[in-house]
Amino acid sequence: MQTNQLFLIFCSVLLLLGLAAFYFGRSKATRVRASGPAMHAQPDQYAWFAVVATAGPAILLSALGAFVMLLMGTEIPTFPLLLASLAVAVVGLFAGMTLIRANFHARQAIERVIRWVLAGAATISILTTLGILISIIGEALNFFQMHSFWDFITGTTWAPGNSFLAAAGRGDGGGAEFGSVPLFAGTFMITAIALAVAVPVGLLSAIYMAEFAPSRVRAIAKPMLEILAGIPTVVYGFFAAITVAPFIVRLADSVGLDASFNNALAPGIVMGIMIIPFISSLSDDVINAVPDSMRQGSLALGMTKGETIRDVVIPAALPGIISASLLGMSRALGETMIVVMAAGMRPNLTINPLEEMTTVTVRIVAAMTGDLEFESAETLSAFALGLVLFVVTLSLNLVSVIMIRRFREKYRVNNL
Amino acid sequence: MNDSFDQISQQLKGRHRKSMRLKYYAMGALALAATFLLIFFADMLSKGLPAFKQAMVNVEINYSEEASRSGRAAIDRDLSSIVSRSVVRVIPLEMRNDPSLLGTSETRWVLASAEVDQYLKGNRARRLDADDMAEIDRLVASGQIEMRFNSGFFARGDSKMAELAGIMSAVVGTIMTMIVTLAIAFPIGVMTAIYLEEFAPDNRLTQLIEININNLAAIPSILFGLLGLAIFINFFGVPRSTPLVGGMTLALMTLPVIIISTRTALRSVPESIRHAAFGVGCSRWQVVKDHVLPLAMPGIMTGSIIGLAQAMGETAPLIIVGMVAFIPDVTASFTEAATVMPAQVFTWSGEPDRAFVEKTAGGILVLLAVLISLNASAVLLRKKFERRW
């Protein structure tokens, strides 16, 4: 509470100092200019320089202090730190003011600062990736100290249930098994169903939009697919659980099959619907990027439109289409809400899509929403699963980037 | 070479038929996608629209001595299973706040229980017996029970009683989370894009940043949740379940979307404008700030709105950072526990009560309305300011 107030006061004092710097800097620059000499920059640029000289070091110092406190765990009292920062700001103000002279290159000075700030912003994305890597690998390593990596990769039983008893002081926890094979089997099964729905429908829609459709149909179809892409996954999950799953159970019943309510088919199909727009919009772009001269050549040789598409356009666009499918696959592997709401919780090693199955993401959510303490094996197992998910999706993404780059280089397309 | 013209024209017909078949398959695929969309919307509307109606009962409330101890006594016994428990519960409280009520009585429209509501909407109500149903039918006939617009759905927060549950707290939580997300993702995203597009030398580091951004855009969202938990909550000590941590997590997810669309917008500003600005002596930053950025702004806004809409629909990472809490009251600060609309939908979908299915679908309709209008505004913005140089 007190820290918050201190921080607020610090910010407002700094703001006031900044305003003062702007005002003094500007008036000094105007004065110098009025006295005759030709100056290197506009008065406003000198004013901004004064602001940067005042606030920059102060902000840097306080941020450094906060960072040291967090990383080293050493307690730096907040009040002196902020006071020191303000002192630095005042010093910066005076230093900045003395620098304002006719032959001072204020514009270059600000631009250098701006450039550094922009570059700093650009590194945030790298920091995010590093953050993901460090946090996930770190906790996953903790997990692998409790359970062997080999068992995790090859084990066919996922039964973390016993670790709950161990955490409660009952049982020895030795019975908990973390074999991830059934989870990955379930994930791949649902992904395969999703791709079986999405790839043909998405690709054929893209072919229609790019090659056959009159512009009027295209003008309606594109936004329609965008709507499909904008539907949140939690909504798809509800749709899968409430509408599609009971429908499948009834359908299976009517042909004499026995379907579990949490079958793998429902989330698979709905996930397929979710991925259709990805595949169709990327394939549409790629098909459009295939040079027209190839179509003209093919038609001139007497091929029909269908033959041109099948034998010339699609093979040419293949790298892009594969790339789209891989991206769709990576989406399906990491998709969470649909499977959390519509797939089961029970790890089940089967190839029957009408049976209950569970996926990696479902188990991650289950482990993170349990009442267990963070250091328990079950909670940490979520990070191990996350690590594998990261590695798999990362490699799919990289392959897809390479494919699309190959396509782009072949046809010299710029906007893909 | 011995084929007659007839044979060849037959072959040709076959080939053209094949070509037409491909066209129909392709058309069928698009129609299938359209059908999915139609079925989906019809399903959501049929399930969710009833949530905007709510049964109300006109009852006489007796503020008797007994009612000040147990609210149940204030209402006719026959009606006790028809009126919502929430009404009964507040009567003693009302009487304590206003002692002059004692001994008076008034007739008032109050919430009916969720069971009655479901019965009137034609769903099975498990807890009602035949007597109750007969009583309800009688009251409906006499105009004592009415279906009214459910304004409480928009004005109230979550509740365990279905008839009382509303989305207000989730809406406020969403707005606060989105404020945090935009406040972080927009400036950083635009600055990154400006750096990469206008300032950066083409070296290893910038290529690394570029590949990295494309990759971040395709990483499963749940991994961002794990990052938020491990870094923001466990390491930096940001309080769990709050708009602050949720917004920060979503900001990292939205960042690539904003960066990529901003870069596209910057790239579409023609070089000649930059050359002209350099020609009159502008510095690099002045060129960007005064000429390129204003021209690219509509494109940047479009991308940011789309990124925001994406973040608004995201649930998985928020589950991991604990934003699926039960929040009956509207959250007042960025460091208080809150929930967001998709998380509220998820929470409701887990409630076993039949009445909550309707609430879930109702919440989905509100969420979809917001998202579709956001996306539509992005499309309009793009149309309005689209410029071909």
Side-chain angles (χ1 to χ4, degrees):
Chain A
M1 208 60 228
Q2 256 228 304
T3 328
N4 280 350
Q5 282 164 358
L6 268 180
F7 188 67
L8 258 170
I9 294 171
F10 170 71
C11 285
S12 31
V13 172
L14 200 60
L15 193 70
L16 282 177
L17 279 174
L19 283 174
F22 189 86
Y23 176 75
F24 288 132
R26 195 189 160 106
S27 57
K28 180 169 179 194
T30 324
R31 233 177 359 220
V32 173
R33 188 147 88 158
S35 69
M39 292 184 78
H40 273 287
Q42 300 290 317
D44 270 11
Q45 286 159 350
Y46 287 104
W48 279 114
F49 170 75
V51 174
V52 167
T54 309
I59 290 173
L60 273 184
L61 182 65
S62 52
L64 192 73
F67 201 67
V68 166
M69 244 193 289
L70 272 168
L71 270 191
M72 316 289 175
T74 42
E75 271 305 311
I76 302 175
T78 321
F79 183 66
L81 176 66
L82 293 183
L83 208 62
S85 302
L86 286 182
V88 169
V90 174
V91 173
L93 175 60
F94 282 107
M97 293 304 291
T98 49
L99 273 174
I100 295 177
R101 278 188 229 103
N103 58 355
F104 176 64
H105 295 261
R107 190 167 78 166
Q108 276 90 323
I110 315 173
E111 300 240 337
R112 226 166 317 163
V113 173
I114 288 174
R115 207 189 158 94
W116 277 108
V117 171
L118 292 178
T123 55
I124 300 253
S125 73
I126 290 198
L127 290 182
T128 307
T129 312
L130 278 183
I132 290 183
L133 273 178
I134 290 170
S135 59
I136 292 179
I137 290 180
E139 304 295 354
L141 282 181
N142 278 344
F143 173 76
F144 290 131
Q145 273 165 7
M146 294 185 212
H147 284 267
S148 90
F149 177 73
W150 190 243
D151 279 353
F152 176 76
I153 289 295
T154 59
T156 54
T157 327
W158 184 272
N162 296 335
S163 66
F164 175 74
L165 290 179
R170 280 180 289 154
D172 52 1
E177 284 190 71
F178 293 94
S180 62
V181 172
L183 308 189
F184 283 100
T187 306
F188 281 114
M189 169 63 98
I190 291 180
T191 302
I193 298 171
L195 287 181
V197 172
V199 171
V201 176
L203 183 56
L204 280 172
S205 320
I207 290 176
Y208 182 71
M209 285 196 299
E211 301 287 348
F212 292 111
S215 59
R216 207 157 29 88
V217 175
R218 206 183 143 86
I220 301 171
K222 268 249 167 184
M224 183 196 85
L225 286 171
E226 270 170 36
I227 291 180
L228 216 49
I231 294 173
T233 55
V234 66
V235 177
Y236 278 122
F238 179 70
F239 182 61
I242 293 288
T243 307
V244 181
F247 176 72
I248 286 173
V249 171
R250 251 182 294 141
L251 201 69
D253 226 23
S254 67
V255 294
L257 287 171
D258 197 24
S260 150
F261 185 75
N262 287 324
N263 58 64
L265 209 50
I269 290 174
V270 174
M271 209 185 267
I273 298 177
M274 179 195 89
I275 304 170
I276 288 173
F278 277 108
I279 298 196
S280 75
S281 113
L282 229 152
S283 306
D284 181 50
D285 289 344
V286 175
I287 291 173
N288 267 326
V290 172
D292 259 347
S293 56
M294 294 179 71
R295 290 187 190 87
Q296 286 160 356
S298 162
L299 290 173
L301 287 174
M303 298 257 250
T304 64
K305 209 169 177 181
E307 287 160 349
T308 305
I309 292 169
R310 197 190 62 202
D311 298 334
V312 177
V313 177
I314 298 295
L318 206 57
I321 291 168
I322 293 176
S323 155
S325 310
L326 288 180
L327 273 186
M329 187 172 170
S330 135
R331 287 265 158 179
L333 287 177
E335 170 44 42
T336 311
M337 294 320 294
I338 297 178
V339 283
V340 165
M341 291 164 86
M345 290 286 287
R346 195 163 60 87
N348 189 1
L349 202 56
T350 172
I351 51 162
N352 179 1
L354 294 175
E355 276 189 41
E356 177 170 355
M357 272 180 219
T358 198
T359 69
V360 173
T361 46
V362 170
R363 295 312 313 194
I364 292 179
V365 169
M368 299 293 14
T369 47
D371 294 328
L372 295 169
E373 56 183 313
F374 188 77
E375 294 304 324
S376 73
E378 184 176 1
T379 315
L380 291 178
S381 74
F383 286 91
L385 291 173
L387 180 63
V388 181
L389 193 62
F390 180 82
V391 171
V392 173
T393 50
L394 180 74
S395 29
L396 282 176
N397 297 342
L398 287 181
V399 173
S400 113
V401 166
I402 292 169
M403 296 298 272
I404 202 88
R405 185 162 287 180
R406 192 173 295 170
F407 175 83
R408 196 163 33 181
E409 272 161 17
K410 195 163 161 195
Y411 299 112
R412 300 208 179 80
V413 187
N414 286 323
N415 56 350
L416 273 179
Chain B
M1 283 299 128
N2 294 325
D3 288 355
S4 70
F5 277 114
D6 281 350
Q7 278 172 310
I8 292 176
S9 79
Q10 277 304 320
Q11 283 174 6
L12 212 53
K13 255 186 207 154
R15 286 168 59 196
H16 281 292
R17 255 202 307 277
K18 245 182 163 172
S19 177
M20 285 314 278
R21 223 178 297 146
L22 177 66
K23 181 177 173 176
Y24 291 132
Y25 285 149
M27 219 188 234
L30 195 64
L32 192 64
T35 318
F36 282 144
L37 197 64
L38 274 181
I39 293 178
F40 169 77
F41 273 105
D43 189 46
M44 286 304 135
L45 284 174
S46 72
K47 291 207 165 73
L49 281 182
F52 302 130
K53 290 270 184 197
Q54 166 74 42
M56 303 285 280
V57 204
N58 195 12
V59 288
E60 189 180 20
I61 297 172
N62 294 306
Y63 293 105
S64 60
E65 182 72 40
E66 219 177 319
S68 67
R69 286 188 297 276
S70 151
R72 221 151 250 295
I75 290 166
D76 191 1
R77 285 194 69 178
D78 288 350
L79 293 173
S80 59
S81 61
I82 291 174
V83 170
S84 164
R85 270 188 299 142
S86 65
V87 177
V88 178
R89 199 179 278 176
V90 292
I91 288 176
L93 209 73
E94 276 176 32
M95 294 180 72
R96 214 170 307 140
N97 291 340
D98 184 4
S100 68
L101 279 173
L102 188 68
T104 62
S105 74
E106 76 176 313
T107 310
R108 177 152 59 123
W109 285 96
V110 295
L111 281 175
S113 76
E115 295 281 303
V116 176
D117 189 54
Q118 288 301 304
Y119 172 66
L120 289 175
K121 285 168 183 165
N123 297 323
R124 217 158 53 85
R126 271 174 294 118
R127 263 173 271 160
L128 295 178
D129 53 29
D131 286 353
D132 289 329
M133 292 185 195
E135 175 76 7
I136 295 169
D137 290 337
R138 192 182 63 73
L139 287 171
V140 172
S142 67
Q144 299 283 92
I145 294 187
E146 265 180 29
M147 297 301 281
R148 293 200 178 168
F149 177 67
N150 189 3
S151 57
F153 184 67
F154 298 97
R156 278 191 289 260
D158 197 7
S159 166
K160 289 289 174 203
M161 280 180 266
E163 66 270 24
L164 214 58
I167 51 162
M168 190 59 188
S169 54
V171 168
V172 174
T174 300
I175 293 171
M176 294 174 80
T177 309
M178 286 306 120
I179 289 174
V180 177
T181 300
L182 261 197
I184 297 172
F186 184 76
I188 296 182
V190 173
M191 288 195 317
T192 304
I194 290 176
Y195 180 73
L196 290 178
E197 207 52 43
E198 307 284 341
F199 286 87
D202 188 22
N203 59 20
R204 274 285 169 79
L205 185 69
T206 31
Q207 276 167 17
L208 184 71
I209 294 177
E210 228 162 283
I211 293 172
N212 189 37
I213 288 166
N214 285 328
N215 182 48
L216 268 185
I219 281 182
S221 60
I222 193 169
L223 295 180
F224 284 94
L226 292 179
L227 163 86
L229 179 72
I231 301 277
F232 295 146
I233 296 179
N234 285 350
F235 185 69
F236 284 111
V238 182
R240 241 175 100 82
S241 306
T242 55
L244 187 63
V245 71
M248 283 159 77
T249 308
L250 289 182
L252 295 184
M253 246 186 67
T254 321
L255 206 54
V257 181
I258 295 185
I259 295 173
I260 292 171
S261 58
T262 304
R263 291 191 66 181
T264 318
L266 291 174
R267 213 176 300 153
S268 71
V269 175
E271 275 301 298
S272 56
I273 286 173
R274 293 186 186 84
H275 292 318
F278 279 127
V280 294
C282 282
S283 65
R284 200 165 267 281
W285 171 243
Q286 284 171 323
V287 172
V288 172
K289 177 182 66 124
D290 298 332
H291 302 278
V292 178
L293 213 47
L295 289 172
M297 219 41 186
I300 297 174
M301 297 306 281
T302 313
S304 306
I305 293 174
I306 289 171
L308 188 74
Q310 248 178 46
M312 206 180 256
E314 199 55 66
T315 326
L318 297 182
I319 291 182
I320 306 289
V321 296
M323 277 192 92
V324 279
F326 171 66
I327 310 291
D329 295 315
V330 166
T331 310
S333 104
F334 288 102
T335 50
E336 247 173 59
T339 192
V340 293
M341 281 197 280
Q344 182 72 76
V345 166
F346 178 61
T347 318
W348 280 343
S349 75
E351 296 275 348
D353 209 336
R354 172 69 183 75
F356 273 106
V357 172
E358 171 186 307
K359 294 280 166 189
T360 313
I364 284 175
L365 288 184
V366 175
L367 182 63
L368 284 180
V370 174
L371 292 185
I372 290 177
S373 42
L374 269 181
N375 281 317
S377 66
V379 171
L380 286 181
L381 203 69
R382 195 188 312 164
K383 275 245 161 67
K384 183 155 189 260
F385 291 98
E386 197 170 49
R387 204 186 305 194
R388 297 226 174 270
W389 273 290

